[in-house]
Amino acid sequence: LGEDIPRFAGGWFSVQDEPAQRASNGGAPQPGETVLDLCAAPGGKTMHMAELMRNEGRIVAADVQPERVNQIRESVGRLGLSCVEMVVIPERPAADDSAAPDLPDELNGPFDAALVDVPCSNTGVLGKRPDVRWRIRPQDLVELPQLQQRLLQAAMQRVRPGGRVVYSTCSSESEENGNVVRSVLAASPEWSLESERIAVPGQPGDGGYLALLRHGSATNGVS
């Protein structure tokens, strides 16, 4: 469909909703920095960060599904970006899906910043994904936070001292949002919450959550 929109295929623009833009902007990626996008597919936030960085520096965009990593590769080609590297993370067996995957050496860092847009219940985007009403299970809000905590911890371990991590979801559930962040921070005294934002569905866009964590910071804020 995008190929039928004038100038889209030529890389003149991308389409991204407001909460997704906030996630890309949240860590204020700068030209020349190294950035980890740990749950990158399909790549909209990756492309936005690369453009904010003026295509200068290095973004490592990783995901567990090879076909979705190919979507990132297609966007990189369409937009003519050279600072993005794609990495496929080996997927764990289904019986172990509550654990964070083992990360390959390319993701070791240290990075200046990281974005962790974690897998979640999607309850903040029911307008786009009405099937969630019938798909979500009560145990999801027990299992998903376990995975989300592990992914957030993995990102924090790969960021340099003084660096920052953006944690984001498209969920409206506290179990996946502030509870995850505070649980991880309780075990990581060298990190602090610099800011967080809760978006309510329909006011004006999708719902979701965004938190900025900083290594060694002492500022806290909620908006």
Side-chain angles (χ1 to χ4, degrees):
L1 179 61
E3 295 177 355
D4 298 328
I5 301 175
R7 301 189 183 276
F8 180 83
W12 284 64
F13 68 93
S14 297
V15 178
Q16 194 176 40
D17 61 28
E18 184 177 344
Q21 292 179 46
R22 291 195 201 109
S24 308
N25 277 303
Q30 300 298 310
E33 288 191 322
T34 58
V35 177
L36 171 63
D37 191 350
L38 188 52
C39 305
K45 299 178 185 69
T46 308
M47 302 306 113
H48 189 191
M49 289 193 295
E51 291 171 338
L52 291 170
M53 294 166 61
R54 300 200 297 266
N55 200 28
E56 299 173 10
R58 175 175 177 248
I59 298 178
V60 180
D63 210 279
V64 295
Q65 298 180 24
E67 64 275 13
R68 284 170 61 81
V69 173
N70 283 335
Q71 291 180 285
I72 302 174
R73 187 171 288 107
E74 291 171 2
S75 295
V76 165
R78 181 178 68 83
L79 295 170
L81 297 169
S82 60
C83 72
V84 180
E85 302 173 17
M86 283 71 68
V87 175
V88 178
I89 302 173
E91 197 166 8
R92 284 183 178 270
D96 197 20
D97 60 3
S98 66
D102 295 322
L103 301 183
D105 291 343
E106 296 96 319
L107 307 188
N108 283 345
F111 295 91
D112 295 303
L115 170 63
V116 196
D117 185 44
V118 293
C120 69
S121 64
N122 296 301
T123 54
V125 292
L126 292 175
K128 291 180 178 177
R129 304 189 63 176
D131 60 294
V132 171
R133 292 177 172 86
W134 296 276
R135 180 171 49 79
I136 191 171
R137 308 164 301 165
Q139 60 263 40
D140 289 339
L141 295 182
V142 176
E143 296 171 358
L144 281 169
Q146 297 174 13
L147 172 61
Q148 292 157 353
Q149 287 184 35
R150 292 186 176 98
L151 288 168
L152 177 55
Q153 289 168 333
M156 292 163 64
Q157 292 164 2
R158 286 161 174 80
V159 169
R160 64 167 176 80
R164 65 257 186 222
V165 172
V166 173
Y167 174 84
S168 69
T169 78
C170 53
S171 168
S172 297
E173 314 306 317
S174 59
E175 293 91 338
E176 301 179 272
N177 296 334
N179 290 6
V180 167
V181 168
R182 285 163 176 78
S183 177
V184 171
L185 287 176
S188 308
E190 71 278 16
W191 285 82
S192 62
L193 175 63
E194 183 158 300
S195 64
E196 65 180 343
R197 179 166 184 160
I198 301 170
V200 178
Q203 298 184 15
D206 293 332
Y209 176 83
L210 178 71
L212 174 61
L213 313 182
R214 192 177 292 271
H215 189 283
S217 175
T219 304
N220 293 277
V222 178
S223 61

